[in-house]
Amino acid sequence: MRIDKLSKEILEKISEKFELHQEVSFYNTKKVVDAFRAHRVSEYYFSGSSGYGYADQGRDSLGDIYAEIFGVEKALVRSQFVSGTHALSTALFGVLRPGDELLAVTGAPYDTLQTVIGATRKQAGSLTEHGILYKEVALKDGVPDLAAIKQAMNSKTKIVHIQRSRGYADRKTLSVEEIGAICAIVKRYRKNCICFVDNCYGEFTEKTEPTQVGADLIAGSLIKNPGGGLAPSGAYIAGRSELVDMAARHLTAPGLGDQMGATLGIIHRLMYQGLFLAPHVTLQAIKSAIYAAGLFEKLGYKVSPCVNDFRSDIIQCIALDTPETLQAFCQAIQRNSPVDGHVMPIPGQMPGYNDPVIMAAGTFVQGASIELSADGPMREPYNVYLQGGLTFEHSVLALSSAARDIIG
């Protein structure tokens, strides 16, 4: 009964916090609908193609729609991308050449990208193995160190990598405005340097995207925000046309680029429909994160962001202090999931991660973090990273159950 009472109190207090995010959702929904109308989306776009996928108008128009929404020249949207990391890797390998330098300016990138880079975590086939130079600029007091970024750039620096979301790091997510400030300092001193943003978890959380404040290239996963909970796989790369073309040639082959890639029937309809739903579903995820912040802060746990903090992605971090509490939280989320609710998650080694990770993801699309999910590495301070929520109501039920399990 204590949690039920507390939940009701939290819901009453946070309802006014939803207004700003509701406004953003309306704005982005209009942007999506306008783009669909401008590109004359028709039912035959959903039929898909087979084999080589030549002249697939539905595929090509989806890329054009993404480009319009993100305010860029071109976008590559494909189910052939196996993950967001694959899209990021494709863009990096497509653009960088031996002797070029990749400069990460938001500290160490997310775990799985570190194996792509291969500087601190050696991996066959990595960027460094192919002769790409790599350097990092740490955050200063949790925010980008613009002076240090200026000092770190040199004539070999070809790409500045900006990670929008926190990943498994103990830092806040960057706002689009903060990303714009990084791009401005880069362009002021190295105008030909490419600003590349890992946009995962951030799409449709604000009215603008990084490409509208100076980013040359962005990438993200379709089983996160832009897939709207329906896209069964895939990712996108968007930005300046010559850069997207370079990435496309790495995805397929030189001479083929973005002219090929079958869309295979129903998958394509789900990618379109998911994009249509994406602003609304992203709103559900943000509301879920705000509720989690309010509930677990009230229970005495450190949360980030806090209830009143600005949000530029869908991730909610909760420091659960002990491995037992982290495991209990994830098991409660799994138990209250619509799929595989009978499964008991336990920590285990996963490709691309240093520490054992526990993941709760009872999702309709395997691993889809726009659906309610929770995961975290088994290391201090035993943070859980909550994301997603196709419906706010489901999130409230699952999070309240997790709170009951933790407090006993």
Side-chain angles (χ1 to χ4, degrees):
M1 289 299 293
R2 176 191 169 190
I3 293 299
D4 291 339
K5 182 179 178 181
L6 185 58
S7 176
K8 186 176 180 180
E9 292 173 3
I10 297 298
L11 287 169
E12 290 174 355
K13 288 181 179 179
I14 65 175
S15 59
E16 64 184 42
K17 309 296 180 188
F18 296 160
E19 292 180 10
L20 172 63
H21 301 289
Q22 187 81 50
E23 180 185 340
V24 171
S25 180
F26 271 113
Y27 181 91
N28 286 324
T29 296
K30 184 179 186 304
K31 192 187 328 185
V32 170
V33 172
D34 286 348
F36 272 51
R37 183 186 303 113
H39 292 276
R40 304 173 67 89
V41 173
S42 303
E43 186 179 8
Y44 74 87
Y45 283 14
F46 311 149
S47 59
S49 57
S50 61
Y52 297 128
Y54 287 128
D56 187 325
Q57 186 171 349
R59 179 197 65 210
D60 296 339
S61 291
L62 185 61
D64 292 342
I65 289 168
Y66 266 77
E68 181 169 328
I69 290 168
F70 290 138
V72 298
E73 295 174 348
K74 191 166 186 175
L76 183 70
V77 187
R78 298 297 163 92
S79 61
Q80 287 82 8
F81 285 121
V82 302
S83 66
T85 299
H86 182 199
L88 293 163
S89 176
T90 299
L92 291 171
F93 273 101
V95 174
L96 292 166
R97 300 292 180 265
D100 291 340
E101 180 182 81
L102 171 66
L103 177 64
V105 298
T106 48
Y110 187 68
D111 295 46
T112 55
L113 194 60
Q114 291 181 35
T115 56
V116 172
I117 296 166
T120 57
R121 300 175 62 185
K122 301 299 181 183
Q123 184 73 28
S126 65
L127 289 168
T128 54
E129 189 181 75
H130 282 77
I132 307 301
L133 307 175
Y134 176 72
K135 196 161 52 179
E136 286 178 11
V137 176
L139 297 173
K140 184 178 182 180
D141 300 323
V143 297
D145 189 341
L146 299 182
I149 292 170
K150 173 189 170 184
Q151 290 297 117
M153 290 187 294
N154 58 67
S155 60
K156 291 183 178 293
T157 308
K158 188 169 184 179
I159 291 183
V160 165
H161 173 268
I162 303 165
Q163 183 174 295
R164 181 174 181 174
S165 194
R166 67 173 65 229
Y168 281 164
D170 188 18
R171 57 98 159 170
K172 73 181 188 69
T173 292
L174 299 185
S175 67
V176 171
E177 181 180 3
E178 288 172 313
I179 292 171
I182 296 173
C183 295
I185 201 79
V186 169
K187 297 300 183 181
R188 185 181 306 165
Y189 295 100
R190 291 284 171 187
K191 65 178 182 179
N192 294 324
C193 191
I194 298 161
C195 292
F196 177 39
V197 178
D198 175 350
N199 207 31
C200 287
Y201 300 104
E203 300 92 349
F204 302 119
T205 60
E206 296 191 53
K207 291 182 179 180
T208 55
E209 297 292 340
T211 40
Q212 296 169 294
V213 295
D216 300 290
L217 197 63
I218 59 174
S221 168
L222 298 193
I223 62 171
K224 297 181 175 66
N225 305 22
L230 291 183
S233 65
Y236 71 89
I237 298 171
R240 284 166 35 197
S241 59
E242 70 270 24
L243 301 178
V244 176
D245 286 340
M246 293 169 80
R249 289 192 289 271
H250 187 76
L251 176 64
T252 57
L256 304 181
D258 65 348
Q259 299 302 303
M260 300 175 69
T263 48
L264 305 176
I266 194 171
I267 290 177
H268 222 209
R269 179 180 65 78
L270 295 174
M271 291 166 73
Y272 271 94
Q273 192 174 12
L275 177 60
F276 169 72
L277 292 174
H280 173 73
V281 173
T282 299
L283 172 64
Q284 301 304 296
I286 291 176
K287 289 169 65 176
S288 301
I290 293 172
Y291 174 76
L295 179 61
F296 283 88
E297 187 173 47
K298 195 73 173 177
L299 292 174
Y301 293 96
K302 180 181 176 182
V303 299
S304 177
C306 295
V307 169
N308 294 323
D309 287 346
F310 179 82
R311 291 174 184 267
S312 191
D313 75 353
I314 63 170
I315 296 177
Q316 179 62 50
C317 176
I318 307 169
L320 294 174
D321 302 331
T322 70
E324 293 80 13
T325 308
L326 172 56
Q327 189 160 317
F329 182 100
C330 290
Q331 289 174 349
I333 297 298
Q334 185 76 35
R335 189 175 65 251
N336 286 276
S337 297
V339 180
D340 289 332
H342 58 287
V343 173
M344 179 79 73
I346 59 174
Q349 291 296 150
M350 296 191 66
Y353 296 88
N354 271 339
D355 301 287
V357 175
I358 184 166
M359 290 193 169
T363 54
F364 291 96
V365 174
Q366 186 185 88
S369 42
I370 189 59
E371 301 183 51
L372 185 65
S373 59
D375 53 88
M378 301 303 290
R379 60 177 182 242
E380 294 182 341
Y382 298 103
N383 289 336
V384 69
Y385 297 87
L386 178 82
Q387 55 268 317
L390 296 179
T391 71
F392 178 56
E393 296 83 355
H394 170 236
S395 297
V396 170
L397 292 172
L399 289 163
S400 298
S401 178
R404 289 189 198 93
D405 283 9
I406 287 173
I407 68 170

